[in-house]
Amino acid sequence: MKAVVMAGGEGTRLRPMTASMPKPLLPVVNKPIMEHVLKLLKRHGLTETVVTVQFLASLVKNYFGDGEELGMELSYAHEEKPLGTAGSVKNAEEALKDDAFLVISGDALTDFDLSDLIRFHRERGAMVTVCLTRVPNPLEFGITIVDEDGKVDRFLEKPTWGQVFSDTVNTGIYVMEPEVFDYVEADTSVDWSGDVFPRLMEEGKPIYGYVAEGYWEDVGTHESYVQAQADVLEGKVDVERDGFEISPGVWVAEGAEVHPEAELRGPLYIGDYAKVESGAEVREHSVIGSNVVVKSGAFLHRAVVHDNVYVGPQSNLRGCVIGKNTDIMRASRIEDGAVVGDECFIGEESIVQGNVRIYPFKTIEAGAFVNTSVIWESRGQAHLFGARGVSGILNVEITPELAVRLAGAYATTLKKGSTVCTARDHSRGARALKRAIISALQASAIDVRDLENVPLPVAREQTARGSAGGIMIRTTTGVPDSVDIMFFDERGADLSQAKQRKLDRVYARQEYRRAFPGEIGDLSFPSSVYDSYTGSLLRAVDTTGIAESGLKVVVDASNGSAGLVLPSLLGRLGVDSLTINPGLDESRPTETAESRRAGLVRLGEIVASARAAFGVRFDPVGERISLVDEHGRIVEDDRALLVMLDLVAAERRSGRVALPVTTTRIAEQVAAYHGTQVEWTTTSTDDLARVSRDEATVFGGDGRGGFIVPEFSSVFDGAAAFVRLIGLVARTQLTLSQIDARIPQAHVSRRDLPTPWAVKGLVMRTVVEAAGDRSVDTTDGVRVVESDGRWVMVLPDPAEAVTHLWAEGPDEASAQALLDEWAAVVDSAGH
């Protein structure tokens, strides 16, 4: 006997899940509903099957093909227009005309005994046998009454409660003889129970009803879809589940990684190659698709998550359905009954309320509160650029596809035939993305100079040698699973706001320029990059006195790309040096605060035992440095800024120094003592770079290890800062601890407070109002100055749901008290 699987329905009630996927392909415990149906048919010997298709037919055909993988023979009957339940089967008449056949829906989940149904049909000599089942609520189904012999007395389609006379409903599963086609008009919309069966009954044809035992769920609503998953997990329906039951009710498929410290409470299912991190909690009736990542601190309960979804840390998913390829960012909440379509982006700390529908390809911005369905509008992200270029989680937010589009957009903002420098850190992720970027640039008529793995300052300096711009890919500082794609202008500096907006516009409109075959860009690999960089650095920065001083220094390259430039630099400086950790470590492209601290402690031990003048530790991309004095004591970053400022100001005796407004006001005293003045900038590195380009500027720094040496460049450069420091120490013949000792102690405290995006504006207004008649500085954020000189600064973070606070007082207790006072102001506005 052959079977017919009806797979042509649109599943309108299940939108947005069915907006880009036909209902039969909706996964139930990681297998399409129709796959469960086909496996049921095979179990009962019905291996020759015709599939009727209409809505998104190609997706069904592509998935199941000819059925060989299932051990079946599948053929397809295509409807050009909806033909109804009978019309679509009539469309397959040619394949079914020789023998009785079974009709079953491709989107209902069941484990009925089809063999017994067929036996019943044959024993009764029926023309049609209707498979019936009992349900508690028959309103959505066609009711069927049968006599004691099983013959059908009466049908009623979708009754009201006033018309309900039975709880046996039509499941849409039939066994039929080919004569039934005589009652179905070709190429016309015809239904079995509404049109054909009444005619057969009028003519007294044998129509029987078989009341089946077992499970049957017409997956027609979101509620029944979620319920079907729970029923499979509970074992209420007899269907196949791939994988292993690692503990009662906890099913894990092949290749899935579940951390021992993840909390799993079954029944639940984790798909193949999914990853559940420590601290994540996955609770009852949750289904996690293939290649899904569930980050630490995430909570899922009755959540159905389709394939390739990223579930961010601290996110909360309850009773919802998440479409494939969707990214759910940190601390998002998706409530009971909500459905998120395929390929959506849910920004961090956003809330999607219960029963909200978000259609495919939509972006919900960070901090948004969504209480109505998002159907038409796209709600695109406001800006690509953050504080460090375009940043995000590798292969979640930053994919090779995104890198290609970004590079294409950047190339479109430049003239054809321009040259762009590309560079990367020593991570594998950066290497893979850079290759994609190079291809996109060349395809947009841009010549590429690929510097490969170089320190960030070298990439900037090389870009400034005649290129129209540059792109550097590096691992986000302190976040090993994230990357930054940084764009440079022709000076090697970060793109200006205006150029960022231009790139944003081209990217958003997807108006990329393409090269003709003869215009494809060239790719070159410049040689002697480090020698030319070192040469220009040593020509620009004063190195007098170094060779004669006999200074001994210890340099820690921290297994990063800074180590690549040091041999050339230290050799030409003529200084006695010991380099530690020079080799590249691909597995550690960035470092945590703890590993950085441990590295500094070790450096201090080596400096003290080697009796060196000081030690310098580079960050992995050579942009920032940390210092250790001659006794091996760590010079904290904020003190290192004052030490360097004191040395520079004492030597120059004039000019300006560029410092962010969050720096201690002790810096003003140090600068003024030596006849220089401070120009306060915002906390953005762009602003520091802008001021540092002025001829009068002699120094810049951010208090976090970033130093600008204006005579060489206007950007943070660890190697330049190192060369300048050696020269200054050699000429003053003072040790770092002696310089540190003559600078007054500063007491600046800092705190970060979580602040929902929706109230950031309110927080800042509240701070200004609370300042009253005190002096207020709005260079960046709001800085409130007390009459006694103490100050507090409140600054909302541009990329995260956080507000930063700094406070300075004459002692630690005073700074803390001021911080507490203003933290309470911020908290009161944020709640």
Side-chain angles (χ1 to χ4, degrees):
M1 184 182 282
K2 290 183 181 175
V4 184
V5 174
M6 300 171 70
E10 289 191 37
T12 49
R13 289 180 300 163
L14 280 166
R15 286 185 180 160
M17 282 189 282
T18 52
S20 51
M21 181 192 296
K23 187 176 162 189
L25 288 188
L26 278 182
V28 171
V29 188
N30 280 27
K31 278 196 174 75
I33 305 176
M34 186 169 140
E35 188 170 332
H36 291 302
V37 171
L38 291 172
K39 286 187 169 176
L40 176 70
L41 292 172
K42 186 187 175 190
R43 217 155 57 214
H44 291 281
L46 298 154
T47 53
E48 273 190 78
T49 299
V50 183
V51 183
T52 67
V53 288
Q54 192 239 328
F55 177 68
L56 298 177
S58 60
L59 296 182
V60 177
K61 289 180 179 178
N62 290 346
Y63 186 91
F64 292 106
D66 61 5
E68 186 184 353
E69 280 188 29
L70 294 169
M72 300 179 73
E73 289 178 46
L74 300 187
S75 57
Y76 296 88
H78 196 287
E79 301 170 42
E80 297 304 322
K81 60 181 182 184
L83 295 173
T85 55
S88 61
V89 178
K90 173 79 170 179
N91 203 35
E93 181 179 5
E94 195 56 38
L96 303 169
K97 62 186 181 184
D98 299 330
D99 191 11
F101 56 90
L102 181 137
V103 178
I104 191 167
S105 168
D107 52 24
L109 188 65
T110 182
D111 58 6
F112 286 162
D113 185 344
L114 302 181
S115 300
D116 199 52
L117 169 66
I118 294 165
R119 181 194 56 74
F120 177 92
H121 173 81
R122 288 187 164 141
E123 280 179 2
R124 296 295 190 280
M127 179 186 277
V128 174
T129 298
V130 181
C131 186
L132 309 174
T133 193
R134 293 188 171 88
V135 295
N137 180 355
L139 294 191
E140 287 298 308
F141 309 103
I143 287 178
T144 308
I145 292 280
V146 294
D147 63 19
E148 62 279 359
D149 192 35
K151 206 164 188 184
V152 173
D153 272 350
R154 194 171 161 204
F155 287 106
L156 182 62
E157 275 294 285
K158 298 194 177 173
T160 64
W161 272 119
Q163 297 171 308
V164 167
F165 46 75
S166 169
D167 66 349
T168 47
V169 300
N170 180 355
T171 63
I173 302 173
Y174 311 113
V175 182
M176 298 179 165
E177 298 298 324
E179 293 89 332
V180 80
F181 288 128
D182 299 341
Y183 295 84
V184 184
E185 198 177 330
D187 213 28
T188 306
S189 183
V190 184
D191 277 318
W192 292 122
S193 48
D195 304 315
V196 179
F197 296 165
R199 277 186 59 197
L200 292 175
M201 288 174 72
E202 273 174 34
E203 295 186 18
K205 300 294 183 190
I207 301 185
Y208 281 84
Y210 169 86
V211 182
E213 298 295 327
Y215 181 93
W216 178 78
E217 178 71 71
D218 173 53
V219 185
T221 64
H222 293 103
E223 294 72 27
S224 61
Y225 177 67
V226 174
Q227 187 58 47
Q229 317 277 344
D231 290 341
V232 171
L233 294 173
E234 294 276 6
K236 292 179 180 175
V237 49
D238 180 17
V239 295
E240 275 184 36
R241 273 175 287 194
D242 291 340
F244 314 94
E245 193 172 11
I246 59 168
S247 63
V250 175
W251 287 79
V252 177
E254 181 190 354
E257 282 181 55
V258 180
H259 196 279
E261 289 174 29
E263 188 177 334
L264 305 182
R265 203 181 295 182
L268 58 86
Y269 184 89
I270 295 171
D272 53 324
Y273 301 100
K275 184 176 183 183
V276 180
E277 292 192 352
S278 75
E281 186 175 350
V282 184
R283 295 187 56 175
E284 300 88 350
H285 302 156
S286 291
V287 176
I288 291 173
S290 302
N291 302 306
V292 168
V293 176
V294 180
K295 299 296 282 182
S296 179
F299 175 91
L300 291 84
H301 187 206
R302 284 184 69 84
V304 180
V305 180
H306 292 180
D307 297 347
N308 304 309
V309 168
Y310 173 83
V311 181
Q314 285 82 53
S315 50
N316 193 305
L317 278 58
R318 294 171 187 267
C320 56
V321 179
I322 309 297
K324 65 178 185 289
N325 302 318
T326 284
D327 296 334
I328 296 166
M329 305 315 288
R330 184 186 64 80
S332 300
R333 278 185 79 88
I334 302 180
E335 301 284 5
D336 200 20
V339 180
V340 178
D342 296 346
E343 300 193 39
C344 289
F345 179 91
I346 310 295
E348 63 177 39
E349 293 206 359
S350 51
I351 297 173
V352 178
Q353 282 216 292
N355 300 315
V356 163
R357 307 283 182 253
I358 296 176
Y359 274 63
F361 315 111
K362 301 293 180 284
T363 293
I364 303 300
E365 289 204 348
F369 182 83
V370 185
N371 56 8
T372 55
S373 292
V374 181
I375 299 172
W376 303 114
E377 65 269 33
S378 171
R379 291 204 187 177
Q381 284 171 283
H383 299 292
L384 280 168
F385 285 85
R388 303 174 301 270
V390 180
S391 304
I393 300 162
L394 178 66
N395 276 340
V396 173
E397 295 165 287
I398 306 290
T399 60
E401 296 90 337
L402 175 113
V404 164
R405 293 201 300 271
L406 264 176
Y410 179 57
T412 305
T413 67
L414 305 172
K415 289 180 179 163
K416 279 189 177 184
S418 299
T419 300
V420 167
C421 279
T422 56
R424 63 171 175 87
D425 72 4
H426 54 288
S427 67
R428 287 187 178 187
R431 179 191 293 158
L433 290 175
K434 180 173 65 67
R435 288 170 178 165
I437 281 168
I438 289 171
S439 300
L441 291 171
Q442 289 181 279
S444 302
I446 296 290
D447 292 333
V448 178
R449 290 180 72 228
D450 185 23
L451 306 173
E452 300 183 274
N453 173 21
V454 294
L456 179 53
V458 174
R460 293 185 185 276
E461 190 266 347
Q462 286 291 310
T463 298
R465 290 172 175 253
S467 293
I471 300 176
M472 168 99 185
I473 305 101
R474 68 165 188 187
T475 307
T476 305
T477 307
V479 190
D481 58 355
S482 287
V483 290
D484 305 330
I485 301 179
M486 307 175 75
F487 292 87
F488 307 146
D489 63 14
E490 69 284 356
R491 293 186 304 247
D494 293 335
L495 289 189
S496 66
Q497 292 287 331
K499 285 182 177 174
Q500 285 182 17
R501 280 195 295 273
K502 186 176 180 184
L503 198 160
D504 245 339
R505 272 198 309 277
V506 175
Y507 178 85
R509 294 174 186 164
Q510 303 202 10
E511 295 170 346
Y512 312 131
R513 179 180 69 217
R514 290 286 174 260
F516 299 110
E519 298 175 323
I520 298 293
D522 194 17
L523 173 60
S524 60
F525 300 91
S527 57
S528 310
V529 167
Y530 296 116
D531 287 343
S532 63
Y533 168 80
T534 304
S536 20
L537 173 56
L538 296 180
R539 282 192 296 276
V541 179
D542 187 356
T543 57
T544 52
I546 294 177
E548 304 78 41
S549 68
L551 281 177
K552 184 178 184 181
V553 293
V554 183
V555 183
D556 185 349
S558 62
N559 299 116
S561 51
L564 299 170
V565 79
L566 288 173
S568 165
L569 183 63
L570 293 168
R572 291 167 74 169
L573 265 178
V575 68
D576 184 8
S577 63
L578 167 64
T579 303
I580 60 173
N581 300 318
L584 293 173
D585 185 350
E586 267 191 5
S587 66
R588 291 191 295 130
T590 184
E591 54 187 3
T592 61
E594 292 77 21
S595 62
R596 175 175 171 268
R597 193 83 191 168
L600 281 170
V601 169
R602 177 83 185 112
L603 174 63
E605 291 166 355
I606 295 169
V607 168
S609 64
R611 299 196 176 171
F614 60 86
V616 171
R617 186 172 201 270
F618 286 84
D619 75 352
V621 290
E623 188 179 37
R624 297 169 184 273
I625 56 170
S626 301
L627 304 181
V628 169
D629 71 14
E630 72 280 9
H631 303 299
R633 290 190 296 245
I634 297 169
V635 184
E636 301 297 345
D637 286 346
D638 52 349
R639 289 302 286 177
L641 176 65
L642 295 176
V643 167
M644 195 80 122
L645 168 61
D646 184 83
L647 282 164
V648 172
E651 184 167 279
R652 288 300 181 92
R653 299 280 169 185
S654 65
R656 293 184 311 178
V657 293
L659 302 172
V661 284
T662 49
T663 310
T664 169
R665 290 313 180 262
I666 299 288
E668 264 181 335
Q669 297 175 30
V670 172
Y673 181 79
H674 296 299
T676 56
Q677 65 185 84
V678 174
E679 173 146 350
W680 298 109
T681 74
T682 70
T683 52
S684 115
T685 51
D686 297 352
D687 207 25
L688 264 177
R690 177 186 58 78
V691 175
S692 300
R693 281 196 287 271
D694 190 294
E695 282 183 10
T697 305
V698 296
F699 173 70
D702 69 350
R704 292 184 292 119
F707 297 102
I708 295 173
V709 180
E711 58 265 41
F712 177 60
S713 76
S714 61
V715 296
F716 294 145
D717 188 327
F722 168 59
V723 171
R724 182 134 191 224
L725 177 63
I726 292 179
L728 290 164
V729 171
R731 291 189 291 276
T732 56
Q733 299 194 328
L734 290 171
T735 65
L736 293 194
S737 64
Q738 287 171 329
I739 298 159
D740 191 358
R742 73 186 189 188
I743 301 169
Q745 285 301 312
H747 301 283
V748 178
S749 295
R750 178 178 170 172
R751 192 174 301 171
D752 293 343
L753 294 176
T755 310
W757 287 91
V759 297
K760 279 192 173 183
L762 172 64
V763 164
M764 299 313 288
R765 192 184 79 215
T766 307
V767 167
V768 171
E769 288 169 356
D773 53 5
R774 283 170 279 204
S775 169
V776 171
D777 170 11
T778 56
T779 303
D780 199 10
V782 174
R783 192 172 74 92
V784 181
V785 185
E786 304 280 348
S787 53
D788 58 3
R790 292 182 307 149
W791 58 269
V792 68
M793 182 168 151
V794 182
L795 178 68
D797 190 289
E800 295 180 20
V802 169
T803 300
H804 306 293
L805 283 80
W806 291 262
E808 182 170 28
D811 53 53
E812 202 63 43
S814 167
Q816 280 296 335
L818 192 61
L819 201 56
D820 290 341
E821 179 190 334
W822 285 90
V825 173
V826 171
D827 259 343
S828 67
H831 294 92

